[in-house]
Amino acid sequence: RTLDKYGADAGGTRNIAGNGATHLSLEDELASLHCKQVALVFSSCFVANDATLSTLGSKLPGCIIFSDSMNHASMIQGIRHSRAQKVIFKHNDLKDLEAKLQVYPKDTPKIIAFESVYSMCGSVGPIKEICDLAEHVAELCLDRPKE
């Protein structure tokens, strides 16, 4: 029945194969579930990180992205694709991050990109402390979703 209804193909990501009714239906359902106007489903966490960071960094004029030195390749790729200025801070080092943030005026758009649990080394990010710091000197605090 499923083959008759949806067909079969080699598959591929939405940017290659296009949207299907099931993608749109899932997004509508997720938006409704979370009481949001819209939702967007990505094919992987890698794609989500790349798309999110590249879009945010490119759409916020003058944005600077502060990136933990141990961030996953998907985050690094997204930052690179954004073409925003990037500043790398020492892994989980709040003093280094704060010093680098304070170099720039408070009204400069800033993104602090870090992970809650670093998939490449297993360390845990100081989420609360980074977000507390961000409230004083930055606009946005991001965490990479886990696969």
Side-chain angles (χ1 to χ4, degrees), residues 14 27 40-45 47-49 51-52:
R14 289 168 80 178
E27 289 172 343
L40 183 59
V41 174
F42 292 98
S43 59
S44 71
C45 289
V47 173
N49 288 336
T52 301

Side-chain angles (χ1 to χ4, degrees), residues 5-86:
K5 184 172 182 176
Y6 299 106
D9 62 26
T13 61
R14 289 168 80 178
N15 61 325
I16 295 171
N19 284 329
T22 52
H23 296 115
L24 301 174
S25 177
L26 174 60
E27 289 172 343
D28 288 343
E29 183 69 25
L30 288 170
S32 175
L33 178 68
H34 293 282
C35 301
K36 302 293 181 186
Q37 291 180 332
V38 295
L40 183 59
V41 174
F42 292 98
S43 59
S44 71
C45 289
F46 194 105
V47 173
N49 288 336
D50 180 19
T52 301
L53 287 168
S54 65
T55 301
L56 287 173
S58 66
K59 298 299 180 188
L60 291 170
C63 175
I64 301 170
I65 300 177
F66 295 80
S67 177
D68 188 285
S69 64
M70 292 294 290
N71 275 342
H72 189 269
S74 59
M75 296 178 77
I76 294 165
Q77 180 170 303
I79 294 166
R80 187 179 307 122
H81 286 159
S82 77
R83 297 192 176 166
Q85 180 180 346
K86 76 175 175 197

